[in-house]
Amino acid sequence: MLILLLLIPIIGCILLITIPENTIENKIRMKRITLISMIINFLISIYIWLEFDTSTSQYQFVYEFINLSYCHLNIGIDGISLYFVLLTTFISPIAILSNYNNINNNLKYFLISFLLLETLQIGVFIVLDLILFYIFFESVLPILFLIIIIYGSGKPRIRSAYLLFLYTLTGSLFMLLAILQIYSYVGSTDFQIISLSEINLDSQKLLWLGFFIAFAVKTPLWPFTGWLYRAHADSPLAGSILLAATILKFATYGYLRVLINFLPDATNYFSPLIQTIAIITLVYASLATILQPDTKTLIAYSSIAHMSIILLGLFSNTIQGIEGSIILAIAHGFVSPALFICVGGVIYDRTGSRTISYIRGLVTYMPVFTMLFFIFTISNTGIPLTLNFLGEQLSLFGIWERSPIIAALGATGIVLSAIYSLYLYNRMSYGIYSPHLKPLKDISRREFNLLITLLFPTILLGIFPNVILDGLHFSVSSLLYNI
């Protein structure tokens, strides 16, 4: 079943290539083919979830392709990777629908790019080989680079695309060196063989630093945050949604799958360093968020702050901390795209501006939108009965067991997120209606359906978190106690 997740978007790409982009009817047909391919993938991932055995930590639905001497494809899924795959297949059609009416030039290449991105993202989460992990991890970069340059907005988009490409590519070179060094130690890059091998502490430290640099850039952690907000601000809405929801989770998955799993001694040694960097990143990003005049840049900086709390949970060395970080990563994958749709889609499409001071009093003409905007704003702050609340609390409880001081500093992120989130909402939604704006239409049916689709899992999973936790327990427990 897992191989179908990789192949169906490729089949969709092949079908798109055969359709000429010369009439409106053909463009509509191409959009439908793309959506159908993505929805089929989502249904397959739901089937995998239903058939998944939560009583074991072993890899399931394993598939191995060894028919070619130069290609060894080994894929499988466990309780950790399962939910990242579900998030990817859930968000991909939402990303396409967010730009459904905005992209008309070079539409075929736009749709093909996002189908390829879906395959590559799924590949990151299901491959069971370090070389394949590196290949899929890096292969999204050229596509994102072209998406920002071709379909992005504003003259700075070229600089933003180069920063995205060069930052992440340079960081990942250290990961490649670490992978080659592991191969020289172990004689294999297979996950299960590496997990059974013993590497001495001094070697683990060097390997750990190589992987950590790559993941720190991708997270991103201070001082590597300069590329993210620029990439968000200048990319099309669909690109921002994927970047926030799933591509930032590559690093989260890498910390779990590589650093904690394969290099546990070095992870324990460097944990105080990680916690310090996470706190610095959290405070820096939160304070920078408050000062932002651009709506998309503000949401991008808030993503950095939330990723810092995720990192605290991951390196808490507790089950509840790691489970909380995974839940917060999934919650961020729902709420952050919704906020990007609000500010970079609904508001920007109507006003042509992302400058916060230019927009005021939206509740006057957009009451339905203002209500949904408020719900996602308070969800972003971690209000109870949302998945964000559960993820933040478990992450902070987990780190509290190891270091109450670090947990207390991490909890400041909750206060700061309330400040910048509510300040953004209040400035744009209330007050005297801006004299610079004409009367605006409330959200369309398409926009309403997109936001409601993201709202349901945020609330329902916040009320019934065991839907996720039941599948995580065995994999997270074995991650810590088998080591």
Side-chain angles (χ1 to χ4, degrees), residues 321-343:
I322 293 176
E323 289 182 351
S325 65
I326 295 172
I327 288 175
L328 183 55
I330 295 168
H332 179 265
F334 296 140
V335 173
S336 190
L339 290 172
F340 275 115
I341 291 172
C342 289
V343 301

Side-chain angles (χ1 to χ4, degrees), residues 50-345:
L50 295 175
E51 293 296 315
F52 187 81
D53 184 3
T54 59
S55 63
T56 178
S57 61
Q58 300 299 315
Y59 290 107
Q60 301 175 44
F61 301 97
V62 175
Y63 176 84
E64 194 169 9
F65 180 80
I66 55 174
N67 294 338
L68 300 176
S69 59
Y70 56 85
C71 179
H72 179 201
L73 179 64
N74 188 16
I75 58 177
I77 198 167
D78 68 350
I80 294 172
S81 54
L82 171 65
Y83 296 104
F84 289 107
V85 171
L86 282 166
L87 180 63
T88 302
T89 57
F90 177 77
I91 287 294
S92 294
I94 290 175
I96 288 295
L97 285 169
S98 69
N99 273 137
Y100 200 72
N101 299 326
N102 304 92
I103 305 295
N104 292 309
N105 296 327
N106 296 319
L107 176 64
K108 180 187 295 187
Y109 303 109
F110 181 80
L111 298 175
I112 288 175
S113 296
F114 278 86
L115 284 170
L116 289 176
L117 278 176
E118 183 176 16
T119 290
L120 297 174
Q121 289 174 93
I122 293 172
V124 170
F125 300 126
I126 66 175
V127 292
L128 304 180
D129 186 277
L130 270 179
I131 290 292
L132 289 176
F133 176 78
Y134 174 79
I135 291 171
F136 282 106
F137 189 91
E138 285 299 285
S139 56
V140 301
L141 284 183
I143 300 176
L144 288 173
F145 176 81
L146 294 174
I147 286 174
I148 294 174
I149 287 183
I150 298 173
Y151 305 100
S153 59
K155 292 182 180 179
R157 70 183 186 280
I158 296 176
R159 179 170 182 258
S160 300
Y162 275 102
L163 284 174
L164 163 70
F165 190 86
L166 294 175
Y167 260 87
T168 51
L169 179 65
T170 303
S172 297
L173 290 177
F174 294 95
M175 177 168 67
L176 179 60
L177 291 174
I179 292 172
L180 296 176
Q181 193 63 32
I182 285 178
Y183 182 77
S184 70
Y185 288 148
V186 179
S188 174
T189 54
D190 184 85
F191 280 1
Q192 292 179 313
I193 294 176
I194 296 173
S195 64
L196 296 173
S197 304
E198 292 187 6
I199 303 174
N200 65 65
L201 178 59
D202 291 335
S203 299
Q204 279 195 34
K205 290 178 183 178
L206 291 175
L207 296 173
W208 191 96
L209 289 172
F211 283 107
F212 175 70
I213 291 172
F215 298 149
V217 172
K218 203 77 165 184
T219 303
L221 296 175
W222 183 87
F224 306 114
T225 57
W227 66 270
L228 180 66
Y229 71 90
R230 292 185 176 94
H232 272 303
D234 298 323
S235 70
L237 178 58
S240 293
I241 288 173
L242 279 191
L243 189 59
T246 53
I247 293 175
L248 287 187
K249 308 309 181 296
F250 286 6
T252 304
Y253 183 73
Y255 292 128
L256 285 164
R257 187 61 73 206
V258 180
L259 296 187
I260 297 174
N261 192 15
F262 300 151
L263 308 170
D265 297 329
T267 297
N268 185 59
Y269 179 82
F270 285 113
S271 286
L273 173 66
I274 289 284
Q275 294 163 9
T276 303
I277 294 175
I279 292 299
I280 293 172
T281 305
L282 172 63
V283 175
Y284 162 75
S286 298
L287 295 178
T289 303
I290 298 171
L291 301 175
Q292 295 307 312
D294 183 280
T295 54
K296 285 185 75 175
T297 304
L298 189 148
I299 303 302
Y301 264 114
S302 74
S303 295
I304 298 173
H306 286 101
M307 294 303 294
S308 302
I309 297 179
I310 290 172
L311 200 67
L312 291 177
L314 287 176
F315 289 91
S316 66
N317 199 32
T318 62
I319 292 176
Q320 62 180 354
I322 293 176
E323 289 182 351
S325 65
I326 295 172
I327 288 175
L328 183 55
I330 295 168
H332 179 265
F334 296 140
V335 173
S336 190
L339 290 172
F340 275 115
I341 291 172
C342 289
V343 301

Side-chain angles (χ1 to χ4, degrees), residues 27-40:
K27 289 182 178 181
I28 294 173
R29 190 181 307 165
M30 286 190 291
K31 292 178 181 178
R32 288 176 177 171
I33 289 173
T34 304
L35 282 175
I36 290 171
S37 301
M38 290 179 170
I39 291 170
I40 291 173

Side-chain angles (χ1 to χ4, degrees), residues 347-348 350-366 427-429 432-440:
I347 296 175
Y348 182 73
R350 287 158 175 75
T351 65
S353 175
R354 298 198 306 263
T355 304
I356 297 171
S357 59
Y358 179 80
I359 304 162
R360 192 169 63 246
L362 294 179
V363 71
T364 306
Y365 294 102
M366 305 176 69
R427 281 185 293 177
M428 299 179 68
S429 299
I432 299 172
Y433 191 74
S434 175
H436 306 290
L437 300 178
K438 297 178 181 179
L440 304 176

